[in-house]
Amino acid sequence: MTTFRMPLGLARLASLTVLALAAGAASAHGDVTPQAVDTKTLPQLGEAWRVENPFRGHAEAIKIGSSAYHQNCARCHGLEAISGGIAPDLRKMDAECANLKDAKRKQACVNEIDEFYLTTARRGRVRNGAVYMPPFEGTLSQEAMWAIKAYLETRREKPL
């Protein structure tokens, strides 16, 4: 039986390539420092926090939200909002609303999810003294938080 032996130079190149890819994958989620989000092309929402997503279906907000999500949320919630198990899969955030047939109940469910999302994004999540999600109020503007939610709505597993 004949065995193939890779030339030493090629074997080293292959090893270095694998290491480089592994290093890239390890840092794929980027810097853990919250990143600023430029929302100047979006309508400014003012001081009062909205209780319902004002950017639902807004193309520019979705574009900004995608970038903001990948810079600030993907390291825990997964690229394209597909969780790897570390944090909740945000594509499923309002899945129970999609199953509702009554339009009023569905809208009430969506509003409740908007409120839950905004409260979580603003204040973070702490359980038994352990920080599961940092608060983003003061780091991300209201416009940025709602733009991220607008993006997440495009990633739903079950459309509303």
Side-chain angles (χ1 to χ4, degrees):
M1 176 153 82
T2 308
T3 58
F4 173 76
R5 292 186 57 120
M6 188 181 297
L8 189 57
L10 190 55
R12 284 187 182 143
L13 178 61
S15 295
L16 289 173
T17 301
V18 168
L19 287 173
L21 289 172
S27 65
H29 294 308
D31 188 355
V32 295
T33 304
Q35 302 297 304
V37 178
D38 182 0
T39 60
K40 68 178 170 247
T41 59
L42 295 176
Q44 297 304 292
L45 302 176
E47 297 277 330
W49 286 86
R50 306 288 176 97
V51 295
E52 187 177 335
N53 188 354
F55 296 141
R56 187 167 282 125
H58 188 288
E60 180 67 11
I62 292 167
K63 180 179 159 192
I64 290 169
S66 174
S67 176
Y69 172 87
H70 287 94
Q71 291 176 40
N72 292 289
C73 312
R75 66 182 148 269
C76 295
H77 290 283
L79 299 173
E80 299 297 323
I82 302 169
S83 177
I86 295 172
D89 189 321
L90 298 178
R91 296 171 304 153
K92 300 175 183 181
M93 184 169 26
D94 52 13
E96 65 187 56
C97 301
N99 296 327
L100 297 173
K101 303 295 183 220
D102 180 82
K104 282 186 177 184
R105 289 186 65 197
K106 185 180 279 193
Q107 187 58 51
C109 182
V110 169
N111 292 347
E112 187 176 309
I113 297 299
D114 278 355
E115 183 180 348
F116 174 79
Y117 163 83
L118 189 61
T119 299
T120 302
R122 289 177 69 188
R123 298 190 182 117
R125 286 282 171 220
V126 176
R127 190 177 321 131
N128 299 326
V131 176
Y132 284 81
M133 180 174 155
F136 282 91
E137 186 169 0
T139 301
L140 296 180
S141 67
Q142 175 175 204
E143 292 82 7
M145 289 184 199
W146 284 125
I148 291 169
K149 178 70 164 63
Y151 162 71
L152 290 171
E153 291 174 357
T154 70
R155 302 292 303 144
R156 286 184 176 119
E157 276 195 333
K158 295 179 180 180
L160 291 178

